[in-house]
Amino acid sequence: MRHRPLGRTGLTVSELGFGCASWWGKPAFEERQALGLVHRAIDLGVTFFDTGASYSAGEAEPRLGRALKGRDASRLVIATKAGTYHAGGGRIARDVSPAAVVASAERSLKNLGLDALGLLQLHGPAAAELTDELLRALEDLKARGLVRALGVNSFDPALIERVVALPEFDVVMVDYNVLRPEREPLIARAAAAGKGVLAGMALAMGHTRPLLSRLKGPQDLWYAARALARHRGELARGRGFGFLHRQPGISGSQAALAYVLANPDVSCAVFGATRLAHLEENAAASGLTLPQPLMAQIRAAQARLT
Ligand SMILES: NC(=O)c1ccc[n+]([C@@H]2O[C@H](COP(=O)([O-])OP(=O)(O)OC[C@H]3O[C@@H](n4cnc5c(N)ncnc54)[C@H](OP(=O)(O)O)[C@@H]3O)[C@@H](O)[C@H]2O)c1
């Protein structure tokens, strides 16, 4: 597994990160398997793990905490998010007030069993919520040694643009994958400003393959329902990328990850997986170079995106 610097934080992360979210964190997904995936990821050299206070209806963080029990977490960068929380009944609520963000970070430390968070990110804040008071509260968490780096996770390019100009933030997490080449200028500006850049949804949620061909287990039904409810645009964009999965010597997921990692401004491509074979296949994408004709084919398919 190769590693990259996380912007100017002084932290180094594996170039592939494991997302502890969605189906991975749900009680319906067997605990033994979920923990086994984290342990295998560590064995494969993954040092960056991404979760959030509201992920998997609040179940993902404590589950990651259980996975880390007895492991040497000092070599790992554990990232979580604040600003959203599970409000019961599957409802996610927002509270980006300074008091709520600080309380969330303190709860996250307990859930994860850590003395310090590697990275605390605000989860989809609005520009108006980035008040001086909030920025001071975040810096105070850093000064208290509870957080090593601060970031913002947002899929709103205008918001990320604003964050890039704020010196208090070290990292941005954007939706960057083979279906989102339009993020590249923004990523370049973030990196030029010294921010660590995390690519969330690095596999485009699997939407480069037809939905029906992916339905094999309960997790696939869950991801399909989420896609139909919230990501129809990504599903449509993915239709022109089936060729990724018909290449010799490289799987479609490896090609998708290698595409993200071909961008030197990306510190880490974060993917989710609930199958061990997927995790192992993805980890093997570290260090792969996309053949030039395949990159040209990707660029041609991207040019056809509306
Ligand atoms: N999605 C969001 O809105 C969002 C927002 C902020 C941050 N993030 C971060 O980004 C991480 C990744 O996002 P995500 O999980 O939504 O999407 P993703 O990683 O782009 O895609 C996950 C899907 O890809 C499948 N997959 C993984 N490896 C595969 C392989 N080798 N072959 C075939 N299928 C494979 C998974 O299937 P299996 O489960 O069967 O392995 C799952 O259905 C999250 O865990 C989170 O940490 C996501």
Side-chain angles (χ1 to χ4, degrees), residues 19-22 50 55 81 153 155 173 200-206 209 219-220 223 226 230 253 270-275 278 281-282:
C20 298
S22 307
D50 181 61
Y55 279 8
K81 310 195 182 70
N153 167 215
F155 297 161
M173 182 187 237
M201 280 204 255
L203 290 169
M205 297 178 285
R209 279 194 308 157
Q219 61 269 63
D220 307 318
Y223 278 108
R226 182 178 76 168
R230 289 174 25 201
S253 295
V270 183
F271 65 85
T274 55
R275 292 178 167 98
H278 286 167
E281 182 183 315
N282 297 345

PDB file of all heavy atoms in Angstrom, residues 19-22 50 55 81 153 155 173 200-206 209 219-220 223 226 230 253 270-275 278 281-282, ligand 1:
ATOM      1  N   GLY A  19     -14.045   3.260   4.050  1.00  0.00           N
ATOM      2  CA  GLY A  19     -15.203   3.990   4.561  1.00  0.00           C
ATOM      3  C   GLY A  19     -16.036   3.119   5.483  1.00  0.00           C
ATOM      4  O   GLY A  19     -16.495   2.040   5.091  1.00  0.00           O
ATOM      5  N   CYS A  20     -16.210   3.588   6.707  1.00  0.00           N
ATOM      6  CA  CYS A  20     -17.003   2.853   7.693  1.00  0.00           C
ATOM      7  C   CYS A  20     -18.354   3.553   7.790  1.00  0.00           C
ATOM      8  O   CYS A  20     -18.571   4.413   8.656  1.00  0.00           O
ATOM      9  CB  CYS A  20     -16.278   2.821   9.036  1.00  0.00           C
ATOM     10  SG  CYS A  20     -14.694   1.970   8.912  1.00  0.00           S
ATOM     11  N   ALA A  21     -19.233   3.218   6.865  1.00  0.00           N
ATOM     12  CA  ALA A  21     -20.493   3.950   6.703  1.00  0.00           C
ATOM     13  C   ALA A  21     -21.531   2.984   6.147  1.00  0.00           C
ATOM     14  O   ALA A  21     -21.282   1.783   5.985  1.00  0.00           O
ATOM     15  CB  ALA A  21     -20.291   5.110   5.724  1.00  0.00           C
ATOM     16  N   SER A  22     -22.705   3.545   5.877  1.00  0.00           N
ATOM     17  CA  SER A  22     -23.742   2.834   5.117  1.00  0.00           C
ATOM     18  C   SER A  22     -23.994   1.423   5.654  1.00  0.00           C
ATOM     19  O   SER A  22     -24.097   1.214   6.848  1.00  0.00           O
ATOM     20  CB  SER A  22     -23.353   2.801   3.617  1.00  0.00           C
ATOM     21  OG  SER A  22     -23.076   4.105   3.173  1.00  0.00           O
ATOM     22  N   ASP A  50     -12.589   6.299   7.477  1.00  0.00           N
ATOM     23  CA  ASP A  50     -13.511   7.433   7.458  1.00  0.00           C
ATOM     24  C   ASP A  50     -14.876   7.017   7.994  1.00  0.00           C
ATOM     25  O   ASP A  50     -15.469   6.047   7.529  1.00  0.00           O
ATOM     26  CB  ASP A  50     -13.671   7.908   5.997  1.00  0.00           C
ATOM     27  CG  ASP A  50     -14.599   9.109   5.903  1.00  0.00           C
ATOM     28  OD1 ASP A  50     -14.265  10.149   6.506  1.00  0.00           O
ATOM     29  OD2 ASP A  50     -15.649   9.005   5.254  1.00  0.00           O
ATOM     30  N   TYR A  55     -23.407   8.403  10.641  1.00  0.00           N
ATOM     31  CA  TYR A  55     -23.351   7.292   9.683  1.00  0.00           C
ATOM     32  C   TYR A  55     -24.039   6.043  10.234  1.00  0.00           C
ATOM     33  O   TYR A  55     -23.911   5.720  11.420  1.00  0.00           O
ATOM     34  CB  TYR A  55     -21.897   6.948   9.342  1.00  0.00           C
ATOM     35  CG  TYR A  55     -21.244   7.857   8.304  1.00  0.00           C
ATOM     36  CD1 TYR A  55     -21.873   9.005   7.832  1.00  0.00           C
ATOM     37  CD2 TYR A  55     -19.995   7.549   7.791  1.00  0.00           C
ATOM     38  CE1 TYR A  55     -21.271   9.818   6.883  1.00  0.00           C
ATOM     39  CE2 TYR A  55     -19.386   8.354   6.833  1.00  0.00           C
ATOM     40  CZ  TYR A  55     -20.041   9.487   6.389  1.00  0.00           C
ATOM     41  OH  TYR A  55     -19.439  10.285   5.440  1.00  0.00           O
ATOM     42  N   LYS A  81     -16.966  12.767  11.477  1.00  0.00           N
ATOM     43  CA  LYS A  81     -17.647  14.007  11.057  1.00  0.00           C
ATOM     44  C   LYS A  81     -18.612  14.462  12.130  1.00  0.00           C
ATOM     45  O   LYS A  81     -19.151  13.642  12.885  1.00  0.00           O
ATOM     46  CB  LYS A  81     -18.402  13.780   9.749  1.00  0.00           C
ATOM     47  CG  LYS A  81     -17.515  13.138   8.702  1.00  0.00           C
ATOM     48  CD  LYS A  81     -18.055  13.214   7.313  1.00  0.00           C
ATOM     49  CE  LYS A  81     -17.102  12.493   6.387  1.00  0.00           C
ATOM     50  NZ  LYS A  81     -17.092  11.046   6.574  1.00  0.00           N
ATOM     51  N   ASN A 153     -16.439  18.091   4.737  1.00  0.00           N
ATOM     52  CA  ASN A 153     -16.936  17.174   3.719  1.00  0.00           C
ATOM     53  C   ASN A 153     -18.191  17.782   3.111  1.00  0.00           C
ATOM     54  O   ASN A 153     -19.171  18.021   3.802  1.00  0.00           O
ATOM     55  CB  ASN A 153     -17.260  15.819   4.364  1.00  0.00           C
ATOM     56  CG  ASN A 153     -18.071  14.901   3.446  1.00  0.00           C
ATOM     57  OD1 ASN A 153     -18.915  14.144   3.917  1.00  0.00           O
ATOM     58  ND2 ASN A 153     -17.828  14.937   2.166  1.00  0.00           N
ATOM     59  N   PHE A 155     -20.386  18.089  -0.907  1.00  0.00           N
ATOM     60  CA  PHE A 155     -20.438  17.830  -2.337  1.00  0.00           C
ATOM     61  C   PHE A 155     -20.935  19.074  -3.069  1.00  0.00           C
ATOM     62  O   PHE A 155     -21.357  18.997  -4.216  1.00  0.00           O
ATOM     63  CB  PHE A 155     -21.316  16.603  -2.624  1.00  0.00           C
ATOM     64  CG  PHE A 155     -20.759  15.332  -2.016  1.00  0.00           C
ATOM     65  CD1 PHE A 155     -21.561  14.221  -1.828  1.00  0.00           C
ATOM     66  CD2 PHE A 155     -19.423  15.234  -1.645  1.00  0.00           C
ATOM     67  CE1 PHE A 155     -21.046  13.046  -1.282  1.00  0.00           C
ATOM     68  CE2 PHE A 155     -18.891  14.067  -1.085  1.00  0.00           C
ATOM     69  CZ  PHE A 155     -19.708  12.976  -0.903  1.00  0.00           C
ATOM     70  N   MET A 173     -13.106  17.048   1.781  1.00  0.00           N
ATOM     71  CA  MET A 173     -13.534  15.772   1.193  1.00  0.00           C
ATOM     72  C   MET A 173     -14.623  16.065   0.165  1.00  0.00           C
ATOM     73  O   MET A 173     -15.669  16.617   0.502  1.00  0.00           O
ATOM     74  CB  MET A 173     -14.078  14.815   2.241  1.00  0.00           C
ATOM     75  CG  MET A 173     -14.483  13.479   1.648  1.00  0.00           C
ATOM     76  SD  MET A 173     -15.300  12.408   2.834  1.00  0.00           S
ATOM     77  CE  MET A 173     -14.259  10.980   2.758  1.00  0.00           C
ATOM     78  N   GLY A 200     -14.207  11.161  -1.641  1.00  0.00           N
ATOM     79  CA  GLY A 200     -15.277  10.299  -1.102  1.00  0.00           C
ATOM     80  C   GLY A 200     -16.004   9.681  -2.281  1.00  0.00           C
ATOM     81  O   GLY A 200     -15.956  10.211  -3.390  1.00  0.00           O
ATOM     82  N   MET A 201     -16.658   8.536  -2.058  1.00  0.00           N
ATOM     83  CA  MET A 201     -17.399   7.856  -3.145  1.00  0.00           C
ATOM     84  C   MET A 201     -16.479   7.544  -4.306  1.00  0.00           C
ATOM     85  O   MET A 201     -16.841   7.742  -5.478  1.00  0.00           O
ATOM     86  CB  MET A 201     -18.524   8.759  -3.662  1.00  0.00           C
ATOM     87  CG  MET A 201     -19.743   8.766  -2.828  1.00  0.00           C
ATOM     88  SD  MET A 201     -21.106   9.251  -3.881  1.00  0.00           S
ATOM     89  CE  MET A 201     -21.384  10.889  -3.351  1.00  0.00           C
ATOM     90  N   ALA A 202     -15.256   7.116  -4.005  1.00  0.00           N
ATOM     91  CA  ALA A 202     -14.240   6.947  -5.050  1.00  0.00           C
ATOM     92  C   ALA A 202     -14.653   5.933  -6.117  1.00  0.00           C
ATOM     93  O   ALA A 202     -14.139   5.960  -7.230  1.00  0.00           O
ATOM     94  CB  ALA A 202     -12.918   6.544  -4.417  1.00  0.00           C
ATOM     95  N   LEU A 203     -15.576   5.035  -5.766  1.00  0.00           N
ATOM     96  CA  LEU A 203     -16.025   4.042  -6.746  1.00  0.00           C
ATOM     97  C   LEU A 203     -17.322   4.463  -7.429  1.00  0.00           C
ATOM     98  O   LEU A 203     -17.970   3.642  -8.089  1.00  0.00           O
ATOM     99  CB  LEU A 203     -16.242   2.687  -6.051  1.00  0.00           C
ATOM    100  CG  LEU A 203     -14.969   1.984  -5.595  1.00  0.00           C
ATOM    101  CD1 LEU A 203     -15.308   0.802  -4.691  1.00  0.00           C
ATOM    102  CD2 LEU A 203     -14.172   1.508  -6.794  1.00  0.00           C
ATOM    103  N   ALA A 204     -17.701   5.721  -7.257  1.00  0.00           N
ATOM    104  CA  ALA A 204     -18.964   6.210  -7.831  1.00  0.00           C
ATOM    105  C   ALA A 204     -20.126   5.318  -7.394  1.00  0.00           C
ATOM    106  O   ALA A 204     -21.058   5.078  -8.161  1.00  0.00           O
ATOM    107  CB  ALA A 204     -18.876   6.297  -9.351  1.00  0.00           C
ATOM    108  N   MET A 205     -20.019   4.811  -6.155  1.00  0.00           N
ATOM    109  CA  MET A 205     -21.041   3.940  -5.565  1.00  0.00           C
ATOM    110  C   MET A 205     -21.343   2.717  -6.437  1.00  0.00           C
ATOM    111  O   MET A 205     -22.419   2.149  -6.350  1.00  0.00           O
ATOM    112  CB  MET A 205     -22.323   4.744  -5.268  1.00  0.00           C
ATOM    113  CG  MET A 205     -22.087   5.835  -4.235  1.00  0.00           C
ATOM    114  SD  MET A 205     -23.547   6.827  -3.895  1.00  0.00           S
ATOM    115  CE  MET A 205     -23.632   7.829  -5.354  1.00  0.00           C
ATOM    116  N   GLY A 206     -20.418   2.346  -7.267  1.00  0.00           N
ATOM    117  CA  GLY A 206     -20.604   1.162  -8.120  1.00  0.00           C
ATOM    118  C   GLY A 206     -21.439   1.428  -9.357  1.00  0.00           C
ATOM    119  O   GLY A 206     -21.764   0.491 -10.107  1.00  0.00           O
ATOM    120  N   ARG A 209     -21.470   0.076 -13.181  1.00  0.00           N
ATOM    121  CA  ARG A 209     -22.050  -1.208 -13.620  1.00  0.00           C
ATOM    122  C   ARG A 209     -23.566  -1.098 -13.532  1.00  0.00           C
ATOM    123  O   ARG A 209     -24.086  -0.452 -12.607  1.00  0.00           O
ATOM    124  CB  ARG A 209     -21.584  -2.352 -12.710  1.00  0.00           C
ATOM    125  CG  ARG A 209     -20.207  -2.861 -13.052  1.00  0.00           C
ATOM    126  CD  ARG A 209     -19.933  -4.189 -12.380  1.00  0.00           C
ATOM    127  NE  ARG A 209     -20.203  -4.126 -10.947  1.00  0.00           N
ATOM    128  CZ  ARG A 209     -20.476  -5.180 -10.185  1.00  0.00           C
ATOM    129  NH1 ARG A 209     -20.552  -6.363 -10.713  1.00  0.00           N
ATOM    130  NH2 ARG A 209     -20.673  -5.030  -8.898  1.00  0.00           N
ATOM    131  N   GLN A 219     -27.193  -6.155   1.053  1.00  0.00           N
ATOM    132  CA  GLN A 219     -26.521  -4.859   0.971  1.00  0.00           C
ATOM    133  C   GLN A 219     -26.733  -4.219  -0.399  1.00  0.00           C
ATOM    134  O   GLN A 219     -26.865  -3.014  -0.534  1.00  0.00           O
ATOM    135  CB  GLN A 219     -25.020  -4.956   1.294  1.00  0.00           C
ATOM    136  CG  GLN A 219     -24.182  -5.819   0.397  1.00  0.00           C
ATOM    137  CD  GLN A 219     -24.084  -7.232   0.878  1.00  0.00           C
ATOM    138  OE1 GLN A 219     -25.081  -7.923   0.948  1.00  0.00           O
ATOM    139  NE2 GLN A 219     -22.883  -7.690   1.211  1.00  0.00           N
ATOM    140  N   ASP A 220     -26.793  -5.091  -1.448  1.00  0.00           N
ATOM    141  CA  ASP A 220     -26.963  -4.565  -2.802  1.00  0.00           C
ATOM    142  C   ASP A 220     -28.353  -3.940  -2.959  1.00  0.00           C
ATOM    143  O   ASP A 220     -28.507  -2.931  -3.646  1.00  0.00           O
ATOM    144  CB  ASP A 220     -26.763  -5.682  -3.830  1.00  0.00           C
ATOM    145  CG  ASP A 220     -25.440  -6.399  -3.611  1.00  0.00           C
ATOM    146  OD1 ASP A 220     -24.431  -5.713  -3.350  1.00  0.00           O
ATOM    147  OD2 ASP A 220     -25.415  -7.645  -3.659  1.00  0.00           O
ATOM    148  N   TYR A 223     -28.158  -0.560  -1.251  1.00  0.00           N
ATOM    149  CA  TYR A 223     -27.460   0.438  -2.080  1.00  0.00           C
ATOM    150  C   TYR A 223     -28.322   0.830  -3.280  1.00  0.00           C
ATOM    151  O   TYR A 223     -28.349   1.988  -3.687  1.00  0.00           O
ATOM    152  CB  TYR A 223     -26.107  -0.092  -2.554  1.00  0.00           C
ATOM    153  CG  TYR A 223     -25.005   0.049  -1.523  1.00  0.00           C
ATOM    154  CD1 TYR A 223     -24.489  -1.043  -0.852  1.00  0.00           C
ATOM    155  CD2 TYR A 223     -24.486   1.315  -1.221  1.00  0.00           C
ATOM    156  CE1 TYR A 223     -23.486  -0.899   0.103  1.00  0.00           C
ATOM    157  CE2 TYR A 223     -23.487   1.462  -0.274  1.00  0.00           C
ATOM    158  CZ  TYR A 223     -22.988   0.346   0.385  1.00  0.00           C
ATOM    159  OH  TYR A 223     -22.007   0.510   1.323  1.00  0.00           O
ATOM    160  N   ARG A 226     -31.012   3.206  -2.170  1.00  0.00           N
ATOM    161  CA  ARG A 226     -30.434   4.538  -1.942  1.00  0.00           C
ATOM    162  C   ARG A 226     -30.177   5.249  -3.271  1.00  0.00           C
ATOM    163  O   ARG A 226     -30.461   6.437  -3.423  1.00  0.00           O
ATOM    164  CB  ARG A 226     -29.126   4.418  -1.145  1.00  0.00           C
ATOM    165  CG  ARG A 226     -28.507   5.774  -0.840  1.00  0.00           C
ATOM    166  CD  ARG A 226     -27.244   5.673  -0.011  1.00  0.00           C
ATOM    167  NE  ARG A 226     -26.104   5.244  -0.798  1.00  0.00           N
ATOM    168  CZ  ARG A 226     -24.836   5.290  -0.380  1.00  0.00           C
ATOM    169  NH1 ARG A 226     -24.568   5.723   0.845  1.00  0.00           N
ATOM    170  NH2 ARG A 226     -23.850   4.888  -1.131  1.00  0.00           N
ATOM    171  N   ARG A 230     -31.844   8.710  -4.177  1.00  0.00           N
ATOM    172  CA  ARG A 230     -31.022   9.921  -4.034  1.00  0.00           C
ATOM    173  C   ARG A 230     -29.999  10.154  -5.129  1.00  0.00           C
ATOM    174  O   ARG A 230     -29.418  11.233  -5.212  1.00  0.00           O
ATOM    175  CB  ARG A 230     -30.273   9.857  -2.682  1.00  0.00           C
ATOM    176  CG  ARG A 230     -31.219  10.037  -1.531  1.00  0.00           C
ATOM    177  CD  ARG A 230     -30.613   9.863  -0.169  1.00  0.00           C
ATOM    178  NE  ARG A 230     -29.211  10.099  -0.035  1.00  0.00           N
ATOM    179  CZ  ARG A 230     -28.461   9.623   0.965  1.00  0.00           C
ATOM    180  NH1 ARG A 230     -29.023   8.898   1.899  1.00  0.00           N
ATOM    181  NH2 ARG A 230     -27.188   9.881   1.037  1.00  0.00           N
ATOM    182  N   SER A 253     -13.418  -1.894 -10.718  1.00  0.00           N
ATOM    183  CA  SER A 253     -13.232  -1.105  -9.488  1.00  0.00           C
ATOM    184  C   SER A 253     -11.783  -0.640  -9.372  1.00  0.00           C
ATOM    185  O   SER A 253     -11.513   0.496  -8.970  1.00  0.00           O
ATOM    186  CB  SER A 253     -13.635  -1.921  -8.262  1.00  0.00           C
ATOM    187  OG  SER A 253     -15.012  -2.188  -8.334  1.00  0.00           O
ATOM    188  N   VAL A 270     -11.332   7.173  -0.862  1.00  0.00           N
ATOM    189  CA  VAL A 270     -12.051   6.419   0.181  1.00  0.00           C
ATOM    190  C   VAL A 270     -13.173   5.598  -0.460  1.00  0.00           C
ATOM    191  O   VAL A 270     -14.013   6.150  -1.174  1.00  0.00           O
ATOM    192  CB  VAL A 270     -12.644   7.386   1.235  1.00  0.00           C
ATOM    193  CG1 VAL A 270     -13.322   6.590   2.351  1.00  0.00           C
ATOM    194  CG2 VAL A 270     -11.558   8.289   1.806  1.00  0.00           C
ATOM    195  N   PHE A 271     -13.156   4.313  -0.217  1.00  0.00           N
ATOM    196  CA  PHE A 271     -14.210   3.437  -0.766  1.00  0.00           C
ATOM    197  C   PHE A 271     -14.897   2.685   0.368  1.00  0.00           C
ATOM    198  O   PHE A 271     -14.340   2.496   1.443  1.00  0.00           O
ATOM    199  CB  PHE A 271     -13.627   2.434  -1.792  1.00  0.00           C
ATOM    200  CG  PHE A 271     -12.665   1.443  -1.172  1.00  0.00           C
ATOM    201  CD1 PHE A 271     -13.133   0.281  -0.566  1.00  0.00           C
ATOM    202  CD2 PHE A 271     -11.303   1.682  -1.174  1.00  0.00           C
ATOM    203  CE1 PHE A 271     -12.251  -0.636   0.011  1.00  0.00           C
ATOM    204  CE2 PHE A 271     -10.412   0.782  -0.597  1.00  0.00           C
ATOM    205  CZ  PHE A 271     -10.887  -0.376   0.008  1.00  0.00           C
ATOM    206  N   GLY A 272     -16.116   2.253   0.088  1.00  0.00           N
ATOM    207  CA  GLY A 272     -16.842   1.376   1.012  1.00  0.00           C
ATOM    208  C   GLY A 272     -16.874  -0.023   0.431  1.00  0.00           C
ATOM    209  O   GLY A 272     -16.894  -0.193  -0.794  1.00  0.00           O
ATOM    210  N   ALA A 273     -16.847  -1.026   1.279  1.00  0.00           N
ATOM    211  CA  ALA A 273     -16.967  -2.418   0.815  1.00  0.00           C
ATOM    212  C   ALA A 273     -17.489  -3.266   1.966  1.00  0.00           C
ATOM    213  O   ALA A 273     -17.101  -3.062   3.117  1.00  0.00           O
ATOM    214  CB  ALA A 273     -15.617  -2.949   0.337  1.00  0.00           C
ATOM    215  N   THR A 274     -18.380  -4.186   1.647  1.00  0.00           N
ATOM    216  CA  THR A 274     -18.847  -5.113   2.683  1.00  0.00           C
ATOM    217  C   THR A 274     -18.450  -6.551   2.347  1.00  0.00           C
ATOM    218  O   THR A 274     -18.798  -7.475   3.066  1.00  0.00           O
ATOM    219  CB  THR A 274     -20.385  -5.033   2.854  1.00  0.00           C
ATOM    220  OG1 THR A 274     -20.989  -5.257   1.581  1.00  0.00           O
ATOM    221  CG2 THR A 274     -20.812  -3.683   3.399  1.00  0.00           C
ATOM    222  N   ARG A 275     -17.749  -6.719   1.237  1.00  0.00           N
ATOM    223  CA  ARG A 275     -17.283  -8.064   0.874  1.00  0.00           C
ATOM    224  C   ARG A 275     -15.751  -8.062   0.905  1.00  0.00           C
ATOM    225  O   ARG A 275     -15.115  -7.188   0.308  1.00  0.00           O
ATOM    226  CB  ARG A 275     -17.802  -8.447  -0.512  1.00  0.00           C
ATOM    227  CG  ARG A 275     -19.331  -8.654  -0.527  1.00  0.00           C
ATOM    228  CD  ARG A 275     -19.817  -8.977  -1.937  1.00  0.00           C
ATOM    229  NE  ARG A 275     -21.182  -9.464  -1.950  1.00  0.00           N
ATOM    230  CZ  ARG A 275     -22.262  -8.692  -2.217  1.00  0.00           C
ATOM    231  NH1 ARG A 275     -22.114  -7.406  -2.485  1.00  0.00           N
ATOM    232  NH2 ARG A 275     -23.469  -9.221  -2.212  1.00  0.00           N
ATOM    233  N   HIS A 278     -13.913  -7.770  -2.304  1.00  0.00           N
ATOM    234  CA  HIS A 278     -13.892  -6.408  -2.840  1.00  0.00           C
ATOM    235  C   HIS A 278     -12.777  -5.593  -2.185  1.00  0.00           C
ATOM    236  O   HIS A 278     -12.035  -4.878  -2.854  1.00  0.00           O
ATOM    237  CB  HIS A 278     -15.237  -5.719  -2.591  1.00  0.00           C
ATOM    238  CG  HIS A 278     -16.334  -6.216  -3.477  1.00  0.00           C
ATOM    239  ND1 HIS A 278     -17.659  -5.927  -3.261  1.00  0.00           N
ATOM    240  CD2 HIS A 278     -16.297  -6.998  -4.601  1.00  0.00           C
ATOM    241  CE1 HIS A 278     -18.382  -6.493  -4.206  1.00  0.00           C
ATOM    242  NE2 HIS A 278     -17.586  -7.150  -5.016  1.00  0.00           N
ATOM    243  N   GLU A 281      -9.435  -6.749  -3.530  1.00  0.00           N
ATOM    244  CA  GLU A 281      -9.260  -6.307  -4.929  1.00  0.00           C
ATOM    245  C   GLU A 281      -8.942  -4.806  -4.959  1.00  0.00           C
ATOM    246  O   GLU A 281      -8.046  -4.365  -5.686  1.00  0.00           O
ATOM    247  CB  GLU A 281     -10.577  -6.595  -5.653  1.00  0.00           C
ATOM    248  CG  GLU A 281     -10.602  -6.249  -7.115  1.00  0.00           C
ATOM    249  CD  GLU A 281     -11.998  -6.517  -7.702  1.00  0.00           C
ATOM    250  OE1 GLU A 281     -12.595  -7.573  -7.429  1.00  0.00           O
ATOM    251  OE2 GLU A 281     -12.481  -5.633  -8.422  1.00  0.00           O
ATOM    252  N   ASN A 282      -9.644  -4.043  -4.154  1.00  0.00           N
ATOM    253  CA  ASN A 282      -9.441  -2.587  -4.155  1.00  0.00           C
ATOM    254  C   ASN A 282      -8.060  -2.218  -3.615  1.00  0.00           C
ATOM    255  O   ASN A 282      -7.401  -1.316  -4.139  1.00  0.00           O
ATOM    256  CB  ASN A 282     -10.532  -1.898  -3.336  1.00  0.00           C
ATOM    257  CG  ASN A 282     -11.912  -2.118  -3.928  1.00  0.00           C
ATOM    258  OD1 ASN A 282     -12.042  -2.545  -5.070  1.00  0.00           O
ATOM    259  ND2 ASN A 282     -12.947  -1.836  -3.157  1.00  0.00           N
TER     260      ASN A 282
HETATM  261  N1  LIG B   1     -21.900   8.177  -0.380  1.00  0.00           N
HETATM  262  C1  LIG B   1     -21.850   9.343   0.250  1.00  0.00           C
HETATM  263  O1  LIG B   1     -22.801  10.167   0.184  1.00  0.00           O
HETATM  264  C2  LIG B   1     -20.624   9.733   1.052  1.00  0.00           C
HETATM  265  C3  LIG B   1     -20.577  10.975   1.606  1.00  0.00           C
HETATM  266  C4  LIG B   1     -19.448  11.352   2.315  1.00  0.00           C
HETATM  267  C5  LIG B   1     -18.423  10.476   2.500  1.00  0.00           C
HETATM  268  N2  LIG B   1     -18.479   9.242   1.980  1.00  0.00           N
HETATM  269  C6  LIG B   1     -17.381   8.324   2.267  1.00  0.00           C
HETATM  270  O2  LIG B   1     -17.015   7.633   1.100  1.00  0.00           O
HETATM  271  C7  LIG B   1     -17.069   6.236   1.389  1.00  0.00           C
HETATM  272  C8  LIG B   1     -17.426   5.495   0.136  1.00  0.00           C
HETATM  273  O3  LIG B   1     -18.721   5.875  -0.315  1.00  0.00           O
HETATM  274  P1  LIG B   1     -19.830   4.793  -0.644  1.00  0.00           P
HETATM  275  O4  LIG B   1     -19.626   3.555   0.187  1.00  0.00           O
HETATM  276  O5  LIG B   1     -21.127   5.492  -0.603  1.00  0.00           O
HETATM  277  O6  LIG B   1     -19.564   4.481  -2.164  1.00  0.00           O
HETATM  278  P2  LIG B   1     -18.394   3.755  -2.969  1.00  0.00           P
HETATM  279  O7  LIG B   1     -17.243   3.361  -2.132  1.00  0.00           O
HETATM  280  O8  LIG B   1     -18.162   4.630  -4.152  1.00  0.00           O
HETATM  281  O9  LIG B   1     -19.164   2.428  -3.455  1.00  0.00           O
HETATM  282  C9  LIG B   1     -19.515   1.404  -2.565  1.00  0.00           C
HETATM  283  C10 LIG B   1     -20.159   0.297  -3.391  1.00  0.00           C
HETATM  284  O10 LIG B   1     -19.146  -0.253  -4.230  1.00  0.00           O
HETATM  285  C11 LIG B   1     -19.132  -1.671  -4.066  1.00  0.00           C
HETATM  286  N3  LIG B   1     -17.765  -2.169  -4.242  1.00  0.00           N
HETATM  287  C12 LIG B   1     -16.672  -1.901  -3.486  1.00  0.00           C
HETATM  288  N4  LIG B   1     -15.595  -2.547  -3.981  1.00  0.00           N
HETATM  289  C13 LIG B   1     -16.025  -3.250  -5.061  1.00  0.00           C
HETATM  290  C14 LIG B   1     -15.390  -4.124  -5.962  1.00  0.00           C
HETATM  291  N5  LIG B   1     -14.089  -4.380  -5.880  1.00  0.00           N
HETATM  292  N6  LIG B   1     -16.143  -4.694  -6.945  1.00  0.00           N
HETATM  293  C15 LIG B   1     -17.455  -4.432  -7.053  1.00  0.00           C
HETATM  294  N7  LIG B   1     -18.126  -3.612  -6.212  1.00  0.00           N
HETATM  295  C16 LIG B   1     -17.409  -3.020  -5.232  1.00  0.00           C
HETATM  296  C17 LIG B   1     -19.625  -1.920  -2.675  1.00  0.00           C
HETATM  297  O11 LIG B   1     -20.119  -3.235  -2.646  1.00  0.00           O
HETATM  298  P3  LIG B   1     -19.935  -4.233  -1.382  1.00  0.00           P
HETATM  299  O12 LIG B   1     -20.566  -3.533  -0.222  1.00  0.00           O
HETATM  300  O13 LIG B   1     -20.641  -5.432  -1.861  1.00  0.00           O
HETATM  301  O14 LIG B   1     -18.466  -4.492  -1.164  1.00  0.00           O
HETATM  302  C18 LIG B   1     -20.706  -0.838  -2.566  1.00  0.00           C
HETATM  303  O15 LIG B   1     -21.908  -1.266  -3.183  1.00  0.00           O
HETATM  304  C19 LIG B   1     -18.107   6.065   2.495  1.00  0.00           C
HETATM  305  O16 LIG B   1     -17.918   4.872   3.196  1.00  0.00           O
HETATM  306  C20 LIG B   1     -17.821   7.295   3.311  1.00  0.00           C
HETATM  307  O17 LIG B   1     -16.748   7.027   4.190  1.00  0.00           O
HETATM  308  C21 LIG B   1     -19.566   8.853   1.234  1.00  0.00           C
END
